[in-house]
Amino acid sequence: MGIVELRKVVKRFGDVEVVKSLDLSIEKGEFLTFLGPSGCGKTTTLRMIGGFELPTSGEIYLGGREVSALPPYKRDVNTVFQSYALFPHMSVRQNVAYGLEQKRLPKAEIERKVTEVLAMVRMDAFAARKPRELSGGQQQRVAVARAIVNGPSVLLLDEPLGALDLKLRKEMQFELKSLQRKLGMTFVYVTHDQEEALTMSDRVAVMNGGRIEQIDAPVAIYNRPKTRFVADFIGETNLLAGEVFRDGSAHAFSLGSARIPIEPDAVLEAGHRISLSVRPEMVTVRKAGDGEAEDVALPGTVEETVFVGSVWKTVVRLAGGERVVATEPPATHGHIEQGSSVVVGWNPKSAVVLEA
Amino acid sequence: MDTAPAAKATVHTQNPPKRRALLFLVLPPALWLLCFLVLPYLGLFIQSFLGSDDLGNVVLEPTLDPWKAFFTKTLYRSTLLYTFKIALTVTSLSVLFSVPLAYFIAFKVRRWKELLYSLIIVPLWVSYIVRAYAWKIILGREGILNSFLQWAKITDAPVEAFLYSEWAIVIGLVHIYTPFVLMPVYTAFEQIPRSLVEASKDLGAGRLTTFFRVVLPLSLPGVIAGGTFAFVLTLGDFLAPVLLGGTDNLMISNVVQNLFGTSNDRPLGSVVGIVLLVVVVALLETTSRAEKSFASLESGRGRLGGAR
Amino acid sequence: MTRKFDLPTLFVGAAAAFVLAFIYLPMVVVVVYSFNPDAVNVFPMRGFSLRWYRVLLEDEQLVSALRISLLIALGGTSIGLLLGVPGAIALARHEFPGKRILERIVLLPLTLPGIVTGVAMLSFFPLIGVPVSLLAVLIGHGTFLIAITLTQVYARLRRLDPSLEEASADLGAPPLTTFFRVILPNIKTAIIGSALLSFTLSLDEIPVTFFLIAGDNTLPIQIWAMMRRGISPEVNAISTLVFAGSIGLILLGTALGGRDKE
């Protein structure tokens, strides 16, 4: 049994079912992230683990104990809030000591632990300040310190970096990740920023419409998305809609009159509606009649080609009207001009077959 | 009127201890308000349909007589109309007085802004009776104004017309209720982004045009709110007419006061009270709707502010 | 830098000055004439005297009215705090059936004319065993002071991030601890401010008091009674003291409120 277990957890607000029968097991020491668009139920799920919302039905276990109906102050978890929720009338030190005081630890021990954790987040020099005298990044560190000082079995983080600017956010991502490794603590993280999720997590749970669409390691989420939603939501991709064409045991994808070889995980019926997801960096663009043809070769016209910093981005309109985007490093980019006829291709292994 | 950016309140499914805490919080004030406010209002409504015996005691006999009396005797209708007239005058003058002062403090003053602002709102809470009294000693026959005029040889005999006139009531009420108008008008002026005023001038509008086409329309919700205060407070005022208007210039609240006092006809008094109440509620509803429709300007401002 | 002669600004400035004078001059007149040595308020004043303040101190009815007013204000403010603060927390932080209705009812004593509230209470209170008396006055004041406290504290709570309370619970604090250590320190100034405001309003209340009072007058009712008997400069003196008192309370309130804003 994982350190956090959700069983058939449902949350309804009035008539709206925000979380739909969720099953999930989180391992001890794991960094798990709920990722999804706003309104997907990720924050509600986190708040149910924290005890701020009670599930409409289903059970929640923490460390093997059922806590479904327990209030937050009786749960061994702590939270880093999106707004930080630092007590404005208390100093940094008083904020961090608050949880330990509730446990009625001896004064000396509280003092020692607070000093230790403030040093860990490099806020020891600011212990006497009030929250409003700190920058956003500093407040964020205090919020983390205030939560981890209690040594919770699970730390919940609700978009903790959402209010910071991009540069600071990247710094904090690495700091949080290394803190988590050092403490060996279970982190459950909520974000709508896919890059953040992929960078920090051991596993990512992609949520949509109150369900987990896919839960996997970041590489798998990116390379082998299981649903159209995941493929589309994570990174950029070309999503083509068509149906299965069978030629003996080999599968193909029929896109208009073109037949594209595919390698699905399972045997599919001919005529079955499917989607094909191909990442732009997997797509090659060649001038028509140039070089040897790949397994996939679709004729088209270049609509636009722009340099976006690290790569060239080329948009090709296929004969059937579909748009395919390709990104290539400058070294392999063939300087194809707008309006020229081209052939786009990819390795069939790099295309993911999805239910339509 | 809640203009502060409200923190988003989150609502939880409640567990049993929380529900108990809620009862503990909400029951005492709810019961108090029920017993000492809602039931009395309800009682007043019921009383307006009851009869009374020869001594003026209310008896438990349902009747429409008080309402018939109210609608047939012209006294009540004419007093109501007279009250509206006074209230309208007071409201117009209060607004007229408030706009320049509020505008001046909001747009022209820099250094002593806080102090001046306190000066305009402090009188809000300063004793009503004493402010009414002040006008009595100023406007009285033997009062300060009359003795000043004689001392300055402008008149040789006291002017009788100052006190105990309609104008005395109006002046007194305008004095008492202007701060109630000043506050929302000033707040509305303060909230107008200075960039809008600059934009108007940039587009070639002069100062007057800018004031009438940009500043004033944007401050309308404040003007409406303030005007409503003045109007409603005047409708409910029964002291100023007695103190400054004498016996000839009675307003609707004096009628209520008399019916519950010397005339001792409580059912009819209840009718007049209910009518007053209905008028006030209808007025508040109308103006709060008007405020909201003008506040569409405000939401545009909100978007502007959010984009910054 | 020389400023251009600016006619519109000058005009607005003059109008503003006139209005400010209109608001303050009458009050100044009362204060100045409280030091009038004569028994009539005429211009010009002949000399300066504390005569009417001495008369005031010996006026037993007035002193007793002041005492009654202070007691009612104290009691009414306490009722307002004891019932208004919990009510504000319930309305700002909880959902319950009838919440919308309660929100509207709370505003009634602030929006409806005091005279209607007064006659309604006058008619109803005797039916539930509260005769016209100081007790009735106290209940009447308590009722509208609940509204004052509740709206003021509610406004503060709405600006207070609710996740502060969640953070406190998250860190292991049960609800009462959260109230005393997190909520109370953050709404303290609103509570003090509304208490001072309640006290000032109660001291000045007439419409409700007028209908519920039996024999013993409160201060404003007593002043009114004195005015009806004829103008005595003694009223100037008591008025000056009332001014000083209410301005003192207001300044205290804004000072406390201002300290909170920094």
Side-chain angles (χ1 to χ4, degrees):
Chain A
M1 194 176 200
I3 192 149
V4 179
E5 291 270 340
L6 304 187
R7 294 204 187 138
K8 301 220 172 342
V9 169
V10 174
K11 179 65 188 181
R12 231 178 266 127
F13 290 114
D15 296 336
V16 189
E17 208 168 61
V18 181
V19 174
K20 292 168 185 157
S21 192
L22 206 77
D23 283 295
L24 175 68
S25 175
I26 300 172
E27 296 304 316
K28 193 169 171 9
E30 171 174 40
F31 195 127
L32 181 120
T33 300
F34 289 110
L35 172 68
S38 58
C40 70
K42 56 188 192 299
T43 294
T44 306
T45 306
L46 192 84
R47 289 173 59 82
M48 285 194 284
I49 301 173
F52 307 116
E53 310 281 0
L54 300 183
T56 311
S57 64
E59 294 119 55
I60 299 173
Y61 296 85
L62 280 175
R65 189 168 73 112
E66 193 186 344
V67 297
S68 311
L70 284 188
Y73 52 91
K74 289 186 179 158
R75 297 187 188 202
D76 182 24
V77 296
N78 286 113
T79 306
V80 177
F81 290 86
Q82 188 172 9
S83 63
Y84 312 139
L86 297 177
F87 304 128
H89 56 296
M90 295 185 195
S91 68
V92 167
R93 176 173 285 280
Q94 288 167 328
N95 262 284
V96 177
Y98 191 87
L100 299 174
E101 284 165 11
Q102 304 311 320
K103 292 184 178 169
R104 310 206 186 283
L105 295 185
K107 269 213 163 86
E109 196 181 340
I110 295 180
E111 188 77 358
R112 185 179 56 74
K113 284 194 166 184
V114 170
T115 308
E116 199 180 283
V117 79
L118 283 178
M120 195 188 292
V121 298
R122 305 201 315 276
M123 285 300 292
D124 33 353
F126 301 92
R129 297 243 185 125
K130 287 280 177 71
R132 64 165 175 271
E133 297 164 339
L134 303 178
S135 71
Q138 290 169 335
Q139 290 184 22
Q140 214 274 326
R141 286 205 180 91
V142 176
V144 171
R146 186 178 70 174
I148 62 174
V149 74
N150 305 292
S153 60
V154 179
L155 185 72
L156 307 175
L157 303 101
D158 183 9
E159 307 222 15
L161 308 180
L164 304 180
D165 64 49
L166 186 65
K167 190 158 176 288
L168 198 53
R169 200 153 69 216
K170 301 239 163 175
E171 273 173 39
M172 289 304 299
Q173 285 173 10
F174 282 101
E175 266 187 52
L176 279 178
K177 181 67 197 171
S178 72
L179 193 67
Q180 188 255 345
R181 280 212 193 91
K182 197 154 80 188
L183 297 168
M185 201 180 271
T186 313
F187 275 33
V188 181
Y189 197 97
V190 159
T191 184
H192 63 269
D193 180 339
Q194 42 159 309
E195 197 187 319
E196 197 166 292
L198 298 179
T199 316
M200 302 171 79
S201 320
D202 297 319
R203 279 197 300 163
V204 176
V206 182
M207 288 190 73
N208 181 37
R211 292 180 208 283
I212 294 181
E213 293 255 341
Q214 183 172 1
I215 179 162
D216 245 322
V219 177
I221 293 274
Y222 187 83
N223 288 337
R224 309 305 302 174
K226 287 212 174 82
T227 65
R228 246 185 98 97
F229 174 81
V230 175
D232 199 26
F233 188 72
I234 308 288
E236 260 193 276
T237 199
N238 295 295
L239 272 175
L240 303 168
E243 54 188 45
V244 175
F245 180 79
R246 289 289 295 272
D247 183 11
S249 66
H251 288 81
F253 176 74
S254 65
L255 182 73
S257 59
R259 298 280 178 272
I260 302 168
I262 52 171
E263 297 180 6
D265 299 330
V267 175
L268 296 171
E269 293 284 324
H272 192 73
R273 304 285 308 167
I274 54 168
S275 292
L276 205 58
S277 163
V278 193
R279 299 281 178 199
E281 63 269 24
M282 299 298 179
V283 178
T284 55
V285 182
R286 286 173 214 294
K287 283 188 181 131
D290 221 24
E292 66 215 80
E294 288 189 64
D295 292 345
V296 179
L298 300 166
T301 317
V302 174
E303 269 196 349
E304 197 178 4
T305 177
V306 284
F307 182 57
V308 291
S310 49
V311 291
W312 281 86
K313 185 170 172 176
T314 308
V315 182
V316 177
R317 175 78 65 184
L318 298 185
E322 300 84 357
R323 286 168 87 244
V324 173
V325 177
T327 54
E328 295 172 293
T332 61
H333 182 65
H335 296 286
I336 299 163
E337 279 167 23
Q338 206 174 317
S340 50
S341 299
V342 291
V343 174
V344 297
W346 57 79
N347 183 337
K349 284 189 170 57
S350 63
V352 182
V353 177
L354 303 164
E355 289 293 319
Chain B
M1 287 210 301
D2 188 3
T3 50
K8 220 194 298 168
T10 34
V11 178
H12 320 155
T13 312
Q14 281 147 12
N15 47 16
K18 206 162 171 183
R19 225 175 288 142
R20 239 177 291 133
L22 174 62
L23 281 185
F24 171 75
L25 291 173
V26 83
L27 268 188
L31 283 179
W32 180 288
L33 292 174
L34 178 73
C35 288
F36 300 131
L37 191 71
V38 177
L39 290 181
Y41 281 132
L42 218 66
L44 194 72
F45 183 71
I46 294 171
Q47 188 167 258
S48 75
F49 293 100
L50 295 181
S52 50
D53 61 20
D54 300 337
L55 295 168
N57 294 318
V58 179
V59 290
L60 273 175
E61 271 171 27
T63 166
L64 284 174
D65 289 349
W67 285 91
K68 279 183 192 147
F70 176 81
F71 283 107
T72 47
K73 288 190 190 158
T74 49
L75 168 73
Y76 303 114
R77 212 174 318 136
S78 61
T79 309
L80 202 58
L81 283 178
Y82 178 73
T83 308
F84 283 150
K85 194 184 94 182
I86 298 273
L88 210 59
T89 317
V90 170
T91 304
S92 319
L93 283 174
S94 304
V95 169
L96 210 65
F97 279 22
S98 297
V99 168
L101 181 55
Y103 181 85
F104 188 76
I105 297 175
F107 287 96
K108 298 288 171 194
V109 174
R110 289 213 185 94
R111 212 177 331 154
W112 289 328
K113 208 166 186 165
E114 290 277 311
L115 176 73
L116 276 170
Y117 178 63
S118 316
L119 276 181
I120 67 170
I121 58 161
V122 160
L124 264 178
W125 315 119
V126 169
S127 180
Y128 170 96
I129 186 84
V130 170
R131 282 189 289 160
Y133 167 75
W135 288 103
K136 209 173 157 86
I137 64 167
I138 292 172
L139 300 176
R141 189 175 182 280
E142 313 282 322
I144 292 159
L145 182 59
N146 262 328
S147 54
F148 172 79
L149 291 176
Q150 287 171 62
W151 174 83
K153 305 261 186 299
I154 297 171
T155 56
D156 13 287
V159 180
E160 298 280 354
F162 289 148
L163 195 58
Y164 303 129
S165 67
E166 198 178 306
W167 278 107
I169 304 181
V170 170
I171 290 174
L173 289 176
V174 169
H175 174 247
I176 291 165
Y177 295 133
T178 294
F180 285 86
V181 187
L182 264 168
M183 198 170 56
V185 173
Y186 173 80
T187 310
F189 280 147
E190 270 293 286
Q191 284 174 351
I192 295 174
R194 295 305 183 261
S195 58
L196 291 186
V197 178
E198 283 160 14
S200 166
K201 288 182 180 165
D202 179 68
L203 294 168
R207 256 191 294 201
L208 273 184
T209 314
T210 302
F211 178 77
F212 283 107
R213 294 201 50 191
V214 177
V215 175
L216 202 58
L218 284 172
S219 66
L220 264 186
V223 173
I224 294 172
T228 310
F229 283 152
F231 198 90
V232 167
L233 288 168
T234 303
L235 286 187
D237 202 303
F238 64 100
L239 273 180
V242 173
L243 293 175
L244 306 172
T247 46
D248 295 336
N249 299 292
L250 293 184
M251 290 171 37
I252 195 70
S253 293
N254 298 103
V255 172
V256 177
Q257 180 202 356
N258 288 339
L259 286 170
F260 276 89
T262 43
S263 320
N264 199 18
D265 187 346
R266 289 189 173 189
L268 185 52
S270 305
V271 170
V272 184
I274 296 286
V275 168
L276 184 58
L277 203 129
V278 168
V279 168
V280 167
V281 169
L283 206 77
L284 289 172
E285 276 302 310
T286 316
T287 55
S288 85
R289 224 163 269 180
E291 259 177 76
K292 267 181 212 138
S293 79
F294 282 112
S296 58
L297 295 164
E298 213 169 355
S299 63
R301 200 170 65 212
R303 280 199 293 278
L304 223 161
R308 242 182 300 156
Chain C
M1 201 173 89
T2 50
R3 263 185 103 166
K4 254 194 316 182
F5 180 68
D6 188 343
L7 203 62
T9 303
L10 217 65
F11 179 75
V12 174
F18 166 77
V19 175
L20 212 55
F22 171 71
I23 292 173
Y24 276 91
L25 209 56
M27 297 191 235
V28 172
V29 165
V30 172
V31 173
V32 169
Y33 274 82
S34 74
F35 301 106
N36 185 6
D38 296 325
V40 284
N41 299 308
V42 291
F43 187 91
M45 202 167 88
R46 294 182 311 176
F48 175 92
S49 137
L50 291 176
R51 174 183 166 192
W52 299 108
Y53 288 90
R54 273 193 295 275
V55 173
L56 189 89
L57 287 176
E58 282 153 21
D59 188 333
E60 273 171 34
Q61 274 186 320
L62 198 64
V63 174
S64 135
L66 176 66
R67 203 171 48 85
I68 288 169
S69 266
L70 288 175
L71 283 175
I72 297 275
L74 207 63
T77 304
S78 310
I79 293 171
L81 289 180
L82 285 175
L83 299 180
V85 175
I89 294 174
L91 285 179
R93 290 293 188 263
H94 296 263
E95 280 303 322
F96 51 90
K99 179 174 165 170
R100 302 276 159 264
I101 300 172
L102 185 61
E103 276 173 352
R104 299 209 79 170
I105 289 173
V106 162
L107 291 177
L108 289 181
L110 304 182
T111 49
L112 298 184
I115 185 169
V116 182
T117 312
V119 295
M121 287 175 169
L122 164 70
S123 306
F124 187 76
F125 281 7
L127 299 181
I128 50 170
V130 182
V132 165
S133 62
L134 285 182
L135 177 66
V137 174
L138 179 65
I139 294 174
H141 281 217
T143 304
F144 78 83
L145 296 180
I146 290 173
I148 295 283
T149 311
L150 199 151
T151 45
Q152 300 264 317
V153 174
Y154 176 82
R156 174 67 56 89
L157 280 168
R158 295 281 295 179
R159 281 185 282 137
L160 190 68
D161 183 357
S163 57
L164 289 182
E165 291 145 54
E166 292 183 351
S168 174
D170 182 71
L171 294 167
L176 268 184
T177 310
T178 299
F179 176 75
F180 284 110
R181 291 204 55 190
V182 176
I183 302 180
L184 200 57
N186 282 297
I187 60 172
K188 195 177 60 193
T189 50
I191 292 176
I192 295 172
S194 62
L196 288 170
L197 180 60
S198 298
F199 201 80
T200 320
L201 291 176
S202 170
L203 277 183
D204 194 37
E205 215 286 333
I206 292 178
V208 171
T209 314
F210 174 78
F211 290 101
L212 298 180
I213 207 142
D216 312 296
N217 285 346
T218 61
L219 187 61
I221 303 273
Q222 179 64 24
I223 294 176
W224 186 16
M226 288 164 78
M227 284 164 66
R228 278 195 294 194
R229 259 184 273 133
I231 289 171
S232 148
E234 190 189 350
V235 181
N236 296 349
I238 183 66
S239 300
T240 303
L241 293 183
V242 170
F243 275 156
S246 39
I247 289 176
L249 283 174
I250 295 158
L251 290 183
L252 192 62
T254 43
L256 290 169
R259 207 182 52 186
D260 178 56
K261 253 184 262 162
E262 54 169 284

